[in-house]
Amino acid sequence: MSSYFDLLYAFVFLPLTVLIYAIVPKKHKYIILLLASFLFFILISKQLVVFLILSIISIYLGARRLTKLDKELESKLSTLEKEEKKPLKEKYKKKKRLVLIAVILFNVAFLFSFKYLKFFLTNTNLLLNLLHIDYEFKIIKFLAPIGISFYTLQAIGYIVDVYNGKASSEKNILKLALFLSFFPQIMEGPIARYEETSSSLYKGHKVTYKNLCFGYQRILYGFFKKMVIADRLNILVKIVFNNYMNYSGLTAWLGVIGYTLMLYAEFSGTMDVVIGSAEIFGIKLPENFRQPFFAKNISEFWTRWHISLGAWFRNYIFYPVSLSKPMKKITTSARKVLGNHYGPLISGAVALLAVWLLNGLWHGAGWTYIVFGLYHFVLILLGSIMEGLVIKACKKLNINRENKVYRILQSIKMTFFVFIGEMIFRAPTLAVAGGMLKKMFTDFSIKNVSLSTLGLDIGDVIVIIVGVIFIFVISLLKEKNIDIRKKIAKKPIYIRWALYYALIMSIIIFGAYGAGYAPVDPIYADF
Amino acid sequence: MEKLIEILEELQPEVDYETCENLVDGRYLDSLTILSLVSEIEDEFDVEIPTVEIIPANFNSAKKIWELIEKLQED
């Protein structure tokens, strides 16, 4: 088993876990989920499970220590006079901060060693070479445990929430282990907060007919997105990105648009399988996508695409950095000079830079990811600076910003910026990204545009177009708050099963598998 | 409350703050605007808004923001 799209997962691992979960007594159901989660992890990452266990133990001990310190402080405060309370509170704050920093560093050290050590050593060697220092570090690269980037963020979020008193520390280490390693989530998120999913994970729900139907329905939709759209587009994307120099700018555009659609189909499809899997157990995971291509601007796009990652960066980096004491001092001075609107933008910009640099690096150790982050930092900051001017200009020109045409133009502009961003994201090196960008804006010749050179035939193109329209219509209905699943559930049984059957058949017939196709590897699982 | 609505209108004039109940969820206030808002509220009402209180539930309507300010003033 290597991913959620492995047939072994959907037809053996998941049904067996559901079966055992259904027959085990309510109070032990969470143990079944924990065992399944560890089995899932071991099947993919084998002995690297030891790092997951070490991470869980560190988070557990850290959180319990924080709670103990809170209780100690509380009992001591009740016996003290008012003026003695403040220094004691400060003393405990320092103690708690030490625990928090130690636990975070311990977990980040794993992440760094697995993910960034090679990048760091390679670039240090380049720098030493530039400075004519005759020394070279030996490059070491470890194989990373699955989902380390996801569970590390979720674990840090939990310990920070406990530190801030926003989550209670879990007494039962097995329950905490389940929260941190729940198998549908561990590989690609969504990165959940403890208060969001924990009680549902531990409750031990009944497996109902409705949950089974809704869960598998969603899983099927995920398979459709991945196998019919993403795996088919993968051929085109690979060819264009690997040989862009042999193609015209128009073909490069085709590759870039294809990649953006592929990434959406692959990642949102994975989320459908993930959320659908959890739904079967009666567990509601947070949504990670909300029709991103309907966003008005790039800043909004990132609140609709990989929602849980954006929320994590907002809660644990953006606000803590921008509202830290030194930043607040800067804001106070800046407001006097730049006014109430633009003054706070300075601390906002510093925090935004931190968010997007980390966001880029989180996706991978490479310069393309760093540039991808900086690109979004610049776009979002400029958007915010310009917002006031745009509102004024529209007022002067009598343009209604809620007007449909204006909204569509906004979405087109936003999508254009998304394409460029995803091109940088996918390019193997910055040189390739630069080369492709140049082609896309300077070479409009029609050479090598024939489908055969792009690895597709007319049938593939029709399937992709129909598939994308299908996803677009479903997204449009969702955007209009129409609950399609509930509507389908109300239809007579023969219509429902005809729909399921059609979806299954479309995956079997139109799925891009077998000779000539190369399925997309789970993209986000590698981050 | 009037002063709060004044601040909000200066930052984002395209909203009816008497009725809107999804300021954050509806993307009327983005993170950078909230930052300006927090900074102005802290100055105007002499409170300190901890980062853990910056959640959609506290910022989705003028009424909710006002309740947060009152709560912080009492603390």
Side-chain angles (χ1 to χ4, degrees):
Chain A
M1 197 159 62
S2 58
S3 82
Y4 298 116
F5 293 106
D6 206 314
L7 295 181
L8 204 61
Y9 172 80
F11 295 110
V12 181
F13 184 86
L14 185 61
L16 275 180
T17 311
V18 173
L19 188 69
I20 302 170
Y21 182 84
I23 53 178
V24 159
K26 186 179 163 74
K27 67 173 183 178
H28 293 131
K29 284 189 195 292
Y30 80 91
I31 294 176
I32 299 304
L33 291 182
L34 178 64
L35 289 174
S37 299
F38 268 71
L39 179 64
F40 181 85
F41 196 95
I42 292 167
L43 281 174
I44 299 176
S45 277
K46 306 193 172 62
Q47 65 272 29
L48 292 176
V49 71
V50 77
F51 292 99
L52 176 69
I53 294 171
L54 284 174
S55 175
I56 290 167
I57 293 173
S58 74
I59 296 288
Y60 174 77
L61 294 176
R64 293 307 296 157
R65 177 81 190 133
L66 288 175
T67 303
K68 201 177 165 208
L69 286 170
D70 275 338
K71 282 187 180 160
E72 246 178 56
L73 174 66
E74 210 175 299
S75 72
K76 282 184 182 171
L77 283 177
S78 58
T79 59
L80 291 178
E81 294 298 319
K82 202 178 174 187
E83 61 275 11
E84 294 168 315
K85 285 182 178 174
K86 208 178 167 189
L88 190 74
K89 275 186 187 172
E90 281 300 317
K91 191 179 155 196
Y92 271 83
K93 203 176 173 184
K94 273 186 192 157
K95 279 187 180 182
K96 279 178 67 181
R97 200 175 289 161
L98 264 178
V99 174
L100 178 73
I101 292 171
V103 174
I104 291 178
L105 282 181
F106 182 76
N107 282 277
V108 170
F110 282 148
L111 185 64
F112 181 83
S113 316
F114 283 115
K115 234 177 125 173
Y116 303 102
L117 195 59
K118 185 183 167 216
F119 177 71
F120 179 75
L121 291 177
T122 311
N123 283 285
T124 309
N125 282 344
L126 280 175
L127 189 70
L128 290 176
N129 195 12
L130 266 176
L131 298 171
H132 302 292
I133 298 171
D134 193 20
Y135 186 81
E136 201 167 270
F137 286 101
K138 203 177 159 204
I139 307 290
I140 318 162
K141 169 93 174 110
F142 300 109
L143 190 66
I146 53 155
I148 185 166
S149 305
F150 289 91
Y151 74 68
T152 304
L153 290 199
Q154 185 159 310
I156 292 175
Y158 166 72
I159 195 91
V160 173
D161 282 353
V162 172
Y163 173 83
N164 284 326
K166 284 281 158 188
S168 51
S169 72
E170 178 54 59
K171 285 181 196 158
N172 182 338
I173 191 167
L174 297 180
K175 286 187 173 176
L176 181 71
L178 173 60
F179 166 70
L180 293 172
S181 68
F182 184 42
F183 71 88
Q185 262 177 297
I186 187 121
M187 250 172 119
E188 301 191 38
I191 303 157
R193 290 184 96 159
Y194 187 71
E195 300 296 295
E196 230 170 358
T197 58
S198 55
S199 56
S200 176
L201 279 168
Y202 311 150
K203 197 176 172 193
H205 305 264
K206 266 191 181 161
V207 176
T208 63
Y209 175 73
K210 187 189 163 202
N211 283 346
L212 262 174
C213 277
F214 272 35
Y216 263 104
Q217 204 181 76
R218 187 122 189 216
I219 291 173
L220 271 180
Y221 186 44
F223 267 77
F224 174 84
K225 283 178 177 171
K226 160 81 165 55
M227 293 179 72
V228 178
I229 313 275
D231 287 350
R232 187 165 266 107
L233 278 166
N234 192 30
I235 315 162
L236 162 88
V237 171
K238 266 190 173 170
I239 291 178
V240 175
F241 274 82
N242 290 343
N243 311 286
Y244 77 94
M245 60 297 263
N246 299 332
Y247 293 102
S248 72
L250 288 177
T251 315
W253 270 108
L254 213 59
V256 170
I257 295 169
Y259 177 65
T260 308
L261 292 174
M262 181 187 108
L263 190 64
Y264 175 69
E266 201 278 336
F267 191 26
S268 74
T270 305
M271 285 306 115
D272 290 324
V273 177
V274 163
I275 295 170
S277 300
E279 200 171 358
I280 296 175
F281 300 101
I283 294 159
K284 193 172 167 21
L285 293 180
E287 290 293 338
N288 229 358
F289 283 87
R290 192 167 52 83
Q291 300 81 258
F293 295 99
F294 289 101
K296 286 196 281 281
N297 52 43
I298 202 90
S299 160
E300 187 187 351
F301 178 85
W302 285 103
T303 64
R304 288 166 170 258
W305 175 295
H306 208 172
I307 298 170
S308 62
L309 181 70
W312 194 94
F313 278 115
R314 193 173 56 243
N315 295 331
Y316 302 110
I317 304 284
F318 182 80
Y319 287 126
V321 170
S322 57
L323 295 172
S324 62
K325 275 187 184 148
M327 282 298 152
K328 273 191 171 173
K329 274 186 189 164
I330 293 174
T331 303
T332 312
S333 318
R335 279 178 62 193
K336 285 176 194 155
V337 184
L338 298 169
N340 288 341
H341 183 64
Y342 292 109
L345 272 185
I346 294 188
S347 56
V350 173
L352 202 62
L353 179 63
V355 163
W356 280 101
L357 269 180
L358 289 173
N359 187 311
L361 273 174
W362 179 87
H363 283 94
W367 288 103
T368 48
Y369 295 117
I370 293 173
V371 172
F372 165 82
L374 291 175
Y375 168 80
H376 284 98
F377 160 69
V378 172
L379 279 185
I380 292 172
L381 188 64
L382 279 181
S384 192
I385 293 171
M386 302 290 285
E387 177 78 357
L389 300 175
V390 173
I391 292 176
K392 275 183 193 161
C394 286
K395 240 184 181 174
K396 259 196 170 169
L397 297 168
N398 243 340
I399 298 171
N400 178 6
R401 297 203 331 138
E402 292 303 313
N403 177 300
K404 255 192 184 164
V405 179
Y406 187 87
R407 284 283 289 108
I408 291 171
L409 286 175
Q410 271 185 317
S411 286
I412 292 174
K413 185 190 77 184
M414 183 275 310
T415 310
F416 169 81
F417 286 128
V418 170
F419 287 150
I420 305 292
E422 299 302 358
M423 187 276 291
I424 301 169
F425 190 75
R426 170 63 173 81
T429 62
L430 278 182
V432 171
M436 276 186 87
L437 202 62
K438 196 177 164 200
K439 277 234 166 208
M440 285 159 73
F441 290 98
T442 55
D443 178 2
F444 300 107
S445 62
I446 309 176
K447 62 174 180 187
N448 282 344
V449 192
S450 76
L451 281 177
S452 58
T453 64
L454 298 173
L456 300 175
D457 60 30
I458 188 73
D460 287 320
V461 175
I462 293 171
V463 171
I464 290 168
I465 293 174
V466 173
V468 169
I469 292 173
F470 177 64
I471 295 173
F472 176 79
V473 171
I474 290 185
S475 303
L476 191 66
L477 293 172
K478 274 192 184 170
E479 187 67 9
K480 290 184 183 296
N481 280 326
I482 297 169
D483 194 331
I484 313 140
R485 300 207 298 172
K486 273 189 186 159
K487 281 200 181 277
I488 294 174
K490 281 181 192 158
K491 300 274 180 224
I493 191 162
Y494 61 91
I495 293 186
R496 266 183 287 149
W497 278 97
L499 283 171
Y500 299 154
Y501 192 64
L503 194 57
I504 293 169
M505 287 315 283
S506 69
I507 297 168
I508 295 173
I509 298 169
F510 301 118
Y513 52 84
Y517 291 111
V520 191
D521 292 327
I523 303 172
Y524 270 75
D526 281 345
F527 293 151
Chain B
M1 183 80 171
E2 270 169 38
K3 185 66 203 167
L4 172 67
I5 293 197
E6 219 174 273
I7 294 172
L8 283 164
E9 274 171 353
E10 194 198 327
L11 287 170
Q12 170 55 279
E14 293 178 315
V15 184
D16 178 2
Y17 291 99
E18 302 288 342
T19 55
C20 188
E21 288 190 344
N22 62 342
L23 290 174
V24 179
D25 296 334
R27 294 283 306 162
Y28 297 103
L29 302 179
D30 63 15
S31 309
L32 284 167
T33 316
I34 288 180
L35 204 57
S36 303
L37 177 65
V38 166
S39 151
E40 288 204 42
I41 288 175
E42 290 190 343
D43 260 21
E44 187 63 40
F45 301 101
D46 196 26
V47 289
E48 193 168 327
I49 303 181
T51 51
V52 286
E53 296 292 354
I54 307 177
I55 48 172
N58 285 338
F59 282 80
N60 258 335
S61 67
K63 197 174 153 236
K64 283 282 167 201
I65 303 173
W66 185 245
E67 281 172 13
L68 175 68
I69 296 170
E70 282 186 322
K71 191 185 105 185
L72 291 169
Q73 280 173 333
E74 278 167 23
D75 286 348

